[in-house]
Amino acid sequence: MPANGNRPLKLQFGLINHEGRYLTAETFGFKVNASAPSLKKKQIWTLEQDSQDTQVVFLRSHLGRYLASDKDGKVTCEADGHNSDCRFLIVAQSDGRWALQSEQHLRFFGGSRDYLSCFAQIITDAELWAVHLALHPQANLLSVARKRYAHLSTEDGEIAVDMNIPWGVAALLTLVYLDGKYCLKTCDSRFLSNDGKLLTESGRATAYTLELKCGKLAFKDCEGKYLSPMGPTGTLRSGRCSKPGKDELFDLEESHPQVVLMAANGRYVSLRQGVSLAANQEDETDMETFQMEIDKETRKCTFRSSQGNYWALVAHGGIQSTATEVSANTMFAVEWLDHKVALKANNGKYICTKKNGQLLAVSDSIGEDEQLTLKLINRPMLILRGENGFICQHKNSNALDASRSVYDIFNLQFSNGGYHIKGVDGRFWYVNSAGLVCSDGEAPEDFTLELLEHGRLAIRGKNGKYLRGDQGGTLRGDALSLSSSALWEY
């Protein structure tokens, strides 16, 4: 387990056939076809590896069933476990596409529309599948060999792979999918070229095909060479290898939200003075930045320092950043109060800022001293995915689509407890009188973010209502209560 405590993200992707259509698992009859023009829920497949033989993979549909082929080449997606007909081998091609071979029957899987089979003895164009990653495209990148994370090094104008914990906005990388290939985009919107330089425009030298080896990712450039960390700082660029070894392998890990907190006294909560938390600093450094990790079951939250320790409730209501393991005393309930938050510790008391700036969990109710302003620092580029797809500007109107298979990158600007959201064209989001979220505002409008679940947030407009995707796929700011349509991966 790396120091970040994260597991690698489960690889989820769409598979695109030679006609540009996605492999689809239909909800009824466990049928599969290749008819869909874009990547939505039914087109998402999860890769699982055999625990004994890492070359063998299983493909799980959105229904939790596995792709299988019988001896006659008939393909179904009904199996609810890893049986022998579900075992496939990935045969990667030089252009990054995959052929899927049944391990049991040694035939290849392919076809078009409703006519899919696993009976071909040789690989032709009809048996080749391009891989479109379906993960949220923002993540941390871990070098398998160095056990270090990639981050933007602005001084050296490179991506360096020498971070123990992926800290701050520099460690956020965005995978941009373009015509079957991927670009790596830094937090300042530059693209990694295969010579290690960062370019403002994407092109041939910034496009990589993704390859999988033992469940890890390798990035192959336009010359057939692979990205790897080089030299003492681990400069990320293409090496000499035309076959990926350990040095060329990476894991993608979830990027947790990192925040700074300002108390009622106008000072930032900090660890600069030692292990006890106090609100006594005027500037934001790593010592004032904390990683929020939200528990999937309880939805309570831990706060982790850049040194890797957790906030913990200690005797007499004190809060210290000393815990190395998660326990009941490192869990805090976050209450979202419009532009502020209150934190309740495991003793049932709210955290309060004392006159000297010290933080103590001693209050029974929420007053001014129990309120904190929370600022999300590691999502200046915001990509939002809801239950039906990504948020994207509408082609022909000022509305926003919330069910697209492609995404727009929005700009998030903090403003006194709220946020302004800016589109590609520099205009702002606002909620109009009909409850539609529009993207052509001349002046910024306040939205508030609530980091409610593991990997998901809710957004409230200034009308106090939540943003949701409606049945027709349009983004509206009219939800009175929270539901799955108002939660967004970010």
Side-chain angles (χ1 to χ4, degrees):
M1 223 39 163
N4 197 33
N6 285 351
R7 285 185 167 74
L9 287 165
K10 261 206 159 72
L11 288 177
Q12 293 188 315
F13 45 78
L15 289 170
I16 309 166
N17 75 353
H18 63 297
E19 296 173 336
R21 300 287 169 157
Y22 286 80
L23 181 64
T24 303
E26 293 300 350
T27 318
F28 303 106
F30 301 112
K31 288 188 168 59
V32 285
N33 62 51
S35 306
S38 64
L39 180 64
K40 300 272 183 78
K41 190 172 162 184
K42 290 184 194 172
Q43 288 76 37
I44 292 178
W45 298 84
T46 304
L47 191 77
E48 294 182 2
Q49 281 179 300
D50 185 66
S51 49
Q52 261 62 58
D53 181 354
T54 54
Q55 295 308 305
V56 172
V57 298
F58 301 91
L59 292 169
R60 196 179 83 218
S61 76
H62 66 106
L63 300 167
R65 302 296 181 113
Y66 293 89
L67 192 70
S69 156
D70 68 11
K71 64 180 193 314
D72 301 320
K74 184 169 181 265
V75 174
T76 55
C77 193
E78 202 165 344
D80 53 11
H82 289 181
N83 67 40
S84 58
D85 280 351
C86 304
R87 297 168 68 87
F88 287 91
L89 304 167
I90 295 172
V91 184
Q93 308 297 300
S94 57
D95 64 359
R97 287 192 292 175
W98 292 357
L100 292 167
Q101 186 177 29
S102 162
E103 189 207 34
Q104 183 89 339
H105 311 294
L106 300 176
R107 302 294 179 100
F108 294 98
F109 171 57
S112 63
R113 297 185 300 281
D114 290 334
Y115 305 104
L116 299 180
S117 67
C118 189
F119 207 60
Q121 290 176 318
I122 55 164
I123 300 169
T124 69
D125 213 32
E127 284 73 44
L128 290 176
W129 301 86
V131 183
H132 183 175
L133 273 191
L135 311 165
H136 188 283
Q138 291 175 310
N140 300 134
L141 190 67
L142 175 74
S143 159
V144 172
R146 296 206 179 196
K147 297 189 169 55
R148 295 287 183 277
Y149 291 91
H151 67 101
L152 168 67
S153 168
T154 31
E155 318 69 85
D156 303 321
E158 64 178 29
I159 294 178
V161 185
D162 60 356
M163 229 180 200
N164 288 329
I165 294 185
W167 207 255
V169 69
L172 185 73
L173 291 171
T174 304
L175 284 171
V176 182
Y177 182 71
L178 282 171
D179 304 324
K181 293 189 163 47
Y182 285 86
C183 303
L184 282 170
K185 197 174 192 181
T186 56
C187 61
D188 63 357
S189 294
R190 290 188 289 171
F191 297 94
L192 177 68
S193 172
N194 59 357
D195 60 2
K197 293 192 172 73
L198 296 173
L199 309 178
T200 49
E201 299 289 325
S202 60
R204 185 170 176 264
T206 65
Y208 303 91
T209 46
L210 281 189
E211 288 191 7
L212 274 187
K213 191 175 173 190
C214 308
K216 311 292 179 196
L217 290 176
F219 296 87
K220 186 165 79 170
D221 74 6
C222 55
E223 314 288 342
K225 304 288 192 260
Y226 291 84
L227 286 182
S228 75
M230 305 275 194
T233 60
T235 304
L236 195 57
R237 59 186 173 88
S238 290
R240 297 198 191 94
C241 289
S242 47
K243 267 207 170 133
K246 196 175 178 184
D247 286 338
E248 287 75 35
L249 296 181
F250 297 89
D251 267 328
L252 283 178
E253 288 185 5
E254 178 178 10
S255 166
H256 289 285
Q258 291 175 351
V259 301
V260 294
L261 294 145
M262 185 185 270
N265 63 7
R267 302 289 174 101
Y268 290 111
V269 174
S270 178
L271 287 172
R272 241 184 274 191
Q273 62 289 328
V275 294
S276 288
L277 287 165
N280 59 7
Q281 296 299 325
E282 290 183 358
D283 51 349
E284 301 171 26
T285 71
D286 283 355
M287 302 298 277
E288 289 73 46
T289 305
F290 301 98
Q291 179 160 290
M292 283 178 77
E293 297 174 14
I294 300 170
D295 184 72
K296 283 181 173 155
E297 272 67 60
T298 64
R299 297 192 187 167
K300 286 186 173 175
C301 185
T302 58
F303 291 89
R304 200 168 185 199
S305 76
S306 59
Q307 306 304 302
N309 293 332
Y310 295 98
W311 292 12
L313 174 69
V314 295
H316 312 299
I319 308 289
Q320 293 186 346
S321 182
T322 49
T324 53
E325 299 284 326
V326 173
S327 68
N329 280 337
T330 65
M331 290 286 188
F332 296 86
V334 184
E335 295 186 16
W336 300 91
L337 315 162
D338 195 24
H339 285 58
K340 305 266 173 135
V341 297
L343 302 177
K344 190 187 264 190
N346 193 41
N347 60 1
K349 307 279 187 186
Y350 290 101
I351 291 180
C352 162
T353 308
K354 291 298 179 192
K355 292 278 177 281
N356 63 358
Q358 195 184 359
L359 261 55
L360 293 173
V362 292
S363 300
D364 291 317
S365 59
I366 300 172
E368 199 178 332
D369 292 336
E370 287 73 34
Q371 295 187 35
L372 298 157
T373 303
L374 180 145
K375 171 182 169 185
L376 176 66
I377 64 129
N378 63 336
R379 288 295 183 282
M381 294 163 28
L382 191 65
I383 295 171
L384 294 168
R385 181 163 75 172
E387 58 179 357
N388 296 313
F390 289 103
I391 295 184
C392 210
Q393 271 176 245
H394 200 284
K395 292 235 183 347
N396 311 316
S397 78
N398 63 353
L400 288 153
D401 280 334
S403 61
R404 295 286 296 278
S405 59
V406 291
Y407 52 81
D408 276 339
I409 298 176
F410 298 98
N411 184 276
L412 191 68
Q413 300 170 335
F414 182 75
S415 171
N416 193 22
Y419 297 84
H420 302 151
I421 304 172
K422 201 155 82 168
V424 192
D425 56 3
R427 293 175 181 224
F428 293 95
W429 286 20
Y430 63 96
V431 181
N432 74 8
S433 53
L436 275 178
V437 183
C438 304
S439 61
D440 61 346
E442 295 293 333
E445 184 167 295
D446 263 12
F447 290 87
T448 52
L449 302 185
E450 300 181 1
L451 313 180
L452 294 172
E453 287 189 5
H454 187 98
R456 286 186 170 82
L457 54 70
I459 306 172
R460 272 187 203 251
K462 70 171 189 186
N463 59 8
K465 294 175 180 169
Y466 290 106
L467 270 52
R468 68 174 180 99
D470 70 10
Q471 293 310 96
T474 303
L475 188 65
R476 295 184 174 276
D478 62 0
L480 295 168
S481 61
L482 274 172
S483 67
S484 57
S485 63
L487 287 169
W488 307 95
E489 282 179 62
Y490 62 98

